[in-house]
Amino acid sequence: MVDDGILPHNSGFNFAFVSDVPLGAGLSSSAAIECSTAVAAAELSNLTVDDALRKRLVDCCIRAENEVVGASTGGLDQKISLFGHRDSALALDFTDATETVIPCNFNNHGLAILVINTNAPHSLADGQYASRRRVIDGVADVAGASTLREVSNVDESTLVWAEANVPPDVSHDDWLDTVKRRVGHVTSEVARTLEAIENLKVNDFEAFGQRMCESHVSLRDDYEVSCQELDIAVDTAMAHGALGARMTGGGFGGSAIALLDVQSAESVAASIAEAFADAGLRAPEFLMAVPSAGARKVP
């Protein structure tokens, strides 16, 4: 933040953190810490924390994630951590850097999000997440675009990049299939996200739940970032009445989320815990969540 000229150069702070967010659970805890710290530092420096400043803080927090932590993440977590609204979702469009507030009042419809921390080890700094980003960024670069959303000839660009980057220890056909599935996940996820936004606008939570399930299948089969624990959590939640469920975060462990009737949350959680025990896995942890405001000074 000092390098970006937001805070006075002689600024220094000592912070103490208290949190009930499980660490390493794929719940954007790093972004939450970054953004709450940034807002606190700005408040203590007597700066006006308006939308213009929040946009600058987003960039600083992304740099902290990329350059300091070494996780090749985008800005989704930081954006929602700084621009979230109560009882709302936030539609983020990174092509034009806009944030659109979408009504998402689960509470008024007797719904909530059950967060299932699988307690499976989770890290985005081990290269797996970055390897997938390398494929997506590479295909976009071949097409002369900054993102896949701007690529009109996705299949052709995928083939060109894959042919030029076949790893020495992977067969040509296996590699091409992998790249196609990686790219296919991203393009289909963009379409699902746009559909999910429209579902929320008309309070069609059943359709929204279907988009969640479709997303998990794609993350599991095409992007290959799920794991046994996440799949059991999602499958069990759906088998016991959830409207939708999917892994969340960067995958390879961490957490899943399920949209369900708030009255059924306890029984669904119990069923998931039982399924984990039957599979000989570590006991999961649970918490309930509803859409809330982003980082801010609490009175």
Side-chain angles (χ1 to χ4, degrees):
M1 290 172 65
V2 171
D3 289 344
D4 290 323
I6 296 178
L7 299 181
H9 282 275
N10 60 351
S11 297
F13 306 94
N14 291 319
F15 289 109
F17 296 95
V18 178
S19 175
D20 58 2
V21 178
L23 296 177
L27 297 175
S28 307
S29 56
S30 57
I33 288 290
E34 292 156 8
C35 294
S36 59
T37 300
V39 169
E43 291 276 2
L44 291 171
S45 300
N46 296 316
L47 300 178
T48 301
V49 185
D50 54 14
D51 284 356
L53 180 62
R54 286 177 182 271
K55 286 181 182 292
R56 296 182 66 189
L57 295 181
V58 165
D59 294 333
C60 292
C61 292
I62 292 173
R63 285 185 56 200
E65 196 84 27
N66 293 171
E67 299 174 16
V68 179
V69 180
S72 182
T73 63
L76 185 151
D77 295 347
Q78 290 80 8
K79 285 261 190 175
I80 189 62
S81 291
L82 282 163
F83 284 95
H85 290 255
R86 182 178 178 181
D87 295 328
S88 302
L90 199 64
L92 303 176
D93 192 325
F94 287 92
T95 58
D96 57 10
T98 58
E99 307 88 29
T100 305
V101 177
I102 308 295
C104 186
N105 196 327
F106 292 146
N107 189 57
N108 278 2
H109 293 82
L111 302 174
I113 293 288
L114 175 67
V115 180
I116 306 122
N117 174 19
T118 66
N119 277 316
H122 164 80
S123 173
L124 295 187
D126 62 359
Q128 290 290 335
Y129 185 88
S131 72
R132 283 151 179 77
R133 277 291 302 272
R134 184 174 73 90
V135 171
I136 302 307
D137 293 344
V139 172
D141 186 61
V142 162
S146 58
T147 72
L148 283 182
R149 287 183 67 187
E150 302 169 7
V151 181
S152 58
N153 55 342
V154 174
D155 291 340
E156 179 183 339
S157 299
T158 297
L159 178 61
V160 170
W161 186 87
E163 293 281 2
N165 291 274
V166 182
D169 56 341
V170 180
S171 74
H172 173 277
D173 290 345
D174 288 345
W175 173 244
L176 181 58
D177 177 65
T178 296
V179 174
K180 284 181 177 178
R181 287 187 288 106
R182 299 283 189 268
V183 173
H185 163 70
V186 174
T187 55
S188 66
E189 191 79 337
V190 169
R192 274 189 295 275
T193 300
L194 296 176
E195 291 173 2
I197 290 169
E198 297 306 313
N199 297 154
L200 286 180
K201 286 180 178 179
V202 295
N203 293 327
D204 190 347
F205 298 116
E206 288 191 6
F208 180 78
Q210 292 174 10
R211 302 293 87 75
M212 293 176 68
C213 293
E214 292 164 0
S215 177
H216 183 78
V217 170
S218 183
L219 286 160
R220 181 193 68 201
D221 298 343
D222 294 335
Y223 218 49
E224 295 183 296
V225 294
S226 189
C227 63
Q228 180 187 15
E229 291 88 344
L230 291 168
D231 293 341
I232 288 177
V234 168
D235 293 344
T236 305
M238 292 306 299
H240 289 81
L243 295 180
R246 71 187 291 274
M247 56 154 280
T248 190
F252 309 105
S255 296
I257 57 174
L259 177 63
L260 40 66
D261 187 312
V262 68
Q263 299 298 325
S264 69
E266 187 173 339
S267 63
V268 172
S271 296
I272 294 172
E274 182 179 357
F276 270 56
D278 291 344
L281 301 172
R282 295 174 62 184
E285 299 173 332
F286 305 92
L287 59 92
M288 298 296 291
V290 292
S292 58
R296 65 203 181 281
K297 181 178 180 180
V298 179

